[in-house]
Amino acid sequence: NVPKDDETPSGKIQKEMPIHVTNVALIDPSTNRPTKVRLESYQDPTTGKREKRRYSLATGTYIPKKMDLSYQRVWKDSDFDTTPEMVNAVTFETAPGVPPFPEDLMREVKNRYKKHY
Protein backbone atom coordinates (compact mmCIF):
# COMPACT_ATOMS: atom_id res chain seq x y z
CA ASN A 1 0.00 0.00 0.00
CA VAL A 2 1.14 3.54 -0.79
CA PRO A 3 -0.42 6.95 -0.12
CA LYS A 4 -3.28 7.82 -2.50
CA ASP A 5 -2.39 10.37 -5.19
CA ASP A 6 -3.02 11.02 -8.89
CA GLU A 7 -0.78 8.13 -10.03
CA THR A 8 -2.25 5.60 -7.58
CA PRO A 9 -5.86 6.53 -6.81
CA SER A 10 -6.52 3.23 -5.01
CA GLY A 11 -3.37 3.42 -2.92
CA LYS A 12 -2.25 -0.04 -4.10
CA ILE A 13 0.46 -0.90 -6.60
CA GLN A 14 1.25 -4.28 -8.12
CA LYS A 15 4.71 -5.51 -7.29
CA GLU A 16 6.25 -8.92 -7.88
CA MET A 17 7.26 -10.58 -4.65
CA PRO A 18 8.67 -14.01 -3.78
CA ILE A 19 6.32 -16.70 -2.54
CA HIS A 20 7.08 -19.39 0.01
CA VAL A 21 7.61 -22.93 -1.22
CA THR A 22 4.63 -24.14 0.84
CA ASN A 23 2.34 -21.96 -1.30
CA VAL A 24 3.35 -23.78 -4.49
CA ALA A 25 1.16 -26.73 -5.47
CA LEU A 26 1.83 -29.55 -7.90
CA ILE A 27 -0.65 -30.40 -10.63
CA ASP A 28 -2.51 -33.70 -10.25
CA PRO A 29 -2.06 -35.53 -13.60
CA SER A 30 -5.52 -37.13 -13.42
CA THR A 31 -7.51 -33.92 -12.76
CA ASN A 32 -5.09 -31.18 -13.98
CA ARG A 33 -5.80 -29.22 -10.79
CA PRO A 34 -3.46 -28.11 -7.99
CA THR A 35 -3.16 -30.62 -5.18
CA LYS A 36 -1.32 -31.27 -1.95
CA VAL A 37 1.19 -34.10 -1.99
CA ARG A 38 2.23 -36.90 0.32
CA LEU A 39 5.54 -38.76 0.11
CA GLU A 40 5.63 -42.53 0.28
CA SER A 41 8.46 -44.98 0.19
CA TYR A 42 8.32 -47.20 -2.91
CA GLN A 43 10.34 -50.31 -3.71
CA ASP A 44 10.78 -51.23 -7.36
CA PRO A 45 9.79 -54.91 -7.66
CA THR A 46 12.25 -55.64 -10.48
CA THR A 47 15.40 -54.01 -9.08
CA GLY A 48 14.55 -53.83 -5.36
CA LYS A 49 15.66 -50.18 -5.28
CA ARG A 50 13.85 -47.95 -2.76
CA GLU A 51 12.84 -44.38 -3.53
CA LYS A 52 10.45 -41.71 -2.26
CA ARG A 53 7.50 -41.04 -4.55
CA ARG A 54 4.98 -38.19 -4.60
CA TYR A 55 1.27 -39.02 -4.53
CA SER A 56 -1.72 -36.69 -4.80
CA LEU A 57 -3.72 -36.40 -1.58
CA ALA A 58 -6.97 -35.88 -3.50
CA THR A 59 -6.84 -38.85 -5.87
CA GLY A 60 -3.81 -40.91 -4.80
CA THR A 61 -2.29 -40.60 -8.28
CA TYR A 62 1.49 -40.97 -8.59
CA ILE A 63 3.11 -37.66 -9.65
CA PRO A 64 6.44 -38.38 -11.39
CA LYS A 65 9.31 -35.92 -11.28
CA LYS A 66 9.78 -34.26 -14.65
CA MET A 67 13.28 -34.63 -16.04
CA ASP A 68 14.61 -31.54 -17.80
CA LEU A 69 16.91 -32.84 -20.52
CA SER A 70 16.60 -29.81 -22.80
CA TYR A 71 20.25 -28.91 -22.23
CA GLN A 72 21.30 -32.08 -24.08
CA ARG A 73 20.03 -30.64 -27.37
CA VAL A 74 22.64 -27.90 -27.26
CA TRP A 75 25.62 -30.13 -26.48
CA LYS A 76 28.37 -29.71 -29.05
CA ASP A 77 31.84 -31.15 -29.20
CA SER A 78 34.60 -28.59 -29.09
CA ASP A 79 38.38 -28.47 -29.25
CA PHE A 80 38.59 -28.35 -25.46
CA ASP A 81 36.72 -31.65 -24.90
CA THR A 82 38.68 -34.65 -23.69
CA THR A 83 38.87 -37.38 -26.31
CA PRO A 84 37.82 -40.95 -25.38
CA GLU A 85 41.37 -42.16 -26.06
CA MET A 86 42.76 -39.73 -23.49
CA VAL A 87 40.16 -40.77 -20.92
CA ASN A 88 41.01 -44.46 -21.27
CA ALA A 89 44.80 -43.97 -21.35
CA VAL A 90 46.72 -45.36 -18.37
CA THR A 91 48.82 -42.52 -16.98
CA PHE A 92 50.13 -44.11 -13.79
CA GLU A 93 51.56 -47.56 -13.19
CA THR A 94 52.65 -48.74 -9.78
CA ALA A 95 56.10 -50.22 -9.26
CA PRO A 96 56.09 -53.58 -7.49
CA GLY A 97 57.12 -53.32 -3.83
CA VAL A 98 57.00 -49.49 -3.75
CA PRO A 99 54.08 -47.90 -1.86
CA PRO A 100 52.17 -45.26 -3.82
CA PHE A 101 52.64 -42.69 -1.00
CA PRO A 102 55.55 -42.03 1.37
CA GLU A 103 55.39 -43.96 4.65
CA ASP A 104 55.14 -40.86 6.87
CA LEU A 105 52.21 -39.53 4.85
CA MET A 106 50.42 -42.87 5.11
CA ARG A 107 50.90 -42.85 8.92
CA GLU A 108 49.32 -39.39 9.13
CA VAL A 109 46.38 -40.41 6.97
CA LYS A 110 45.74 -43.61 8.92
CA ASN A 111 45.72 -41.83 12.31
CA ARG A 112 44.59 -38.30 11.62
CA TYR A 113 43.84 -37.53 15.30
CA LYS A 114 47.38 -38.24 16.46
CA LYS A 115 49.54 -35.13 16.50
CA HIS A 116 52.74 -35.41 14.46
CA TYR A 117 55.28 -32.70 15.29
Side-chain angles (χ1 to χ4, degrees), residues 24-89:
V24 177
L26 292 175
I27 301 296
D28 188 342
S30 59
T31 60
N32 287 332
R33 295 191 49 114
T35 184
K36 291 187 178 183
V37 174
R38 76 175 188 277
L39 288 176
E40 278 188 17
S41 183
Y42 172 79
Q43 184 170 1
D44 189 0
T46 57
T47 62
K49 185 178 175 184
R50 296 188 72 82
E51 64 180 15
K52 295 246 181 191
R53 284 194 168 183
R54 304 179 301 185
Y55 291 92
S56 165
L57 276 178
T59 61
T61 307
Y62 166 59
I63 303 174
K65 290 186 179 179
K66 190 172 184 178
M67 298 292 283
D68 180 23
L69 302 176
S70 61
Y71 61 89
Q72 291 183 353
R73 289 184 290 235
V74 296
W75 278 355
K76 294 179 184 171
D77 290 337
S78 70
D79 296 335
F80 298 109
D81 289 341
T82 308
T83 62
E85 294 81 25
M86 290 178 73
V87 170
N88 294 327

